[in-house]
Amino acid sequence: MRNLFKRVSLKPSIYPPYFNNKDDFNKCLECEDKPCIKACDEGIIHIENEKPIIKFTNRGCTFCDECANVCELDVLKLENKKEKLNCELIINPQKCMAWNQTICFSCQDVCIDRAIDFYGMFNPVINEEKCTSCGFCVGICPSNAIEVQIKGIK
């Protein structure tokens, strides 16, 4: 009985930014080839419980549209493209090297949206208006100070 609960992931996930409704991902169960994985040049789309999710390791989402272009079941569609992933990125000052008086601009250097503002040489803050939650800063941070908070979706 324990193994049954191990297979079911109840934790929220980050989804590619091209879906209309979370329930649409149930169609992914019918997809055998999972072309969205192969289409992602960044290698951040993974399958969990037969559905595509995004995992930030060393890369992030460029919003390139390729996963939507190859989706055969219309789960991911260009017309549903979102400007931001279903998560929020937050810098934890206790873990951040810059907040702890060590010069580090890793997150700012890799940010394609130019959404990380530094106050002085230290104290980086993510500008929520500019940030698309692409995730490039997450994997590059040498102290794992950038935390991902997943937002609830329909």
Side-chain angles (χ1 to χ4, degrees):
M1 189 68 155
R2 283 184 169 182
N3 289 337
L4 172 68
F5 294 107
K6 286 182 181 177
R7 289 185 206 144
V8 178
S9 174
L10 298 176
K11 67 178 181 170
S13 299
I14 304 169
Y15 296 101
Y18 301 95
F19 68 97
N20 183 41
N21 186 307
K22 183 179 172 185
D23 291 335
D24 291 343
F25 286 102
N26 291 329
K27 294 179 194 173
C28 296
L29 299 171
E30 302 167 24
C31 181
E32 293 181 22
D33 295 334
K34 310 292 188 215
C36 54
I37 294 175
K38 297 173 191 155
C40 181
D41 285 341
E42 300 300 328
I44 61 170
I45 297 179
H46 300 269
I47 299 299
E48 189 171 283
N49 295 327
E50 299 295 317
K51 299 172 185 173
I53 63 164
I54 292 178
K55 290 186 180 182
F56 303 131
T57 48
N58 295 326
R59 308 294 299 160
C61 182
T62 61
F63 298 84
C64 70
D65 303 341
E66 290 306 313
C67 60
N69 287 332
V70 299
C71 181
E72 298 166 354
L73 300 175
D74 289 333
V75 174
L76 305 176
K77 295 194 240 182
L78 291 176
E79 63 209 44
N80 297 327
K81 185 175 184 175
K82 294 166 183 49
E83 299 296 317
K84 188 171 186 160
L85 293 175
N86 66 299
C87 63
E88 185 177 353
L89 306 179
I90 299 167
I91 298 173
N92 181 335
Q94 294 174 336
K95 292 181 181 179
C96 178
M97 292 170 57
W99 272 93
N100 289 285
Q101 312 309 304
T102 300
I103 296 173
C104 179
F105 295 99
S106 297
C107 59
Q108 186 183 48
D109 291 344
V110 76
C111 183
I112 59 177
D113 299 313
R114 305 190 99 18
I116 299 178
D117 300 324
F118 272 75
Y119 295 96
M121 190 174 275
F122 305 107
N123 307 337
V125 175
I126 295 176
N127 182 325
E128 292 181 34
E129 290 179 20
K130 292 181 180 179
C131 182
T132 60
S133 299
C134 69
F136 277 98
C137 60
V138 175
I140 199 74
C141 179
S143 60
N144 296 317
I146 302 178
E147 298 174 356
V148 179
Q149 293 184 348
I150 300 174
K151 295 181 178 181
I153 55 173
K154 296 178 185 178

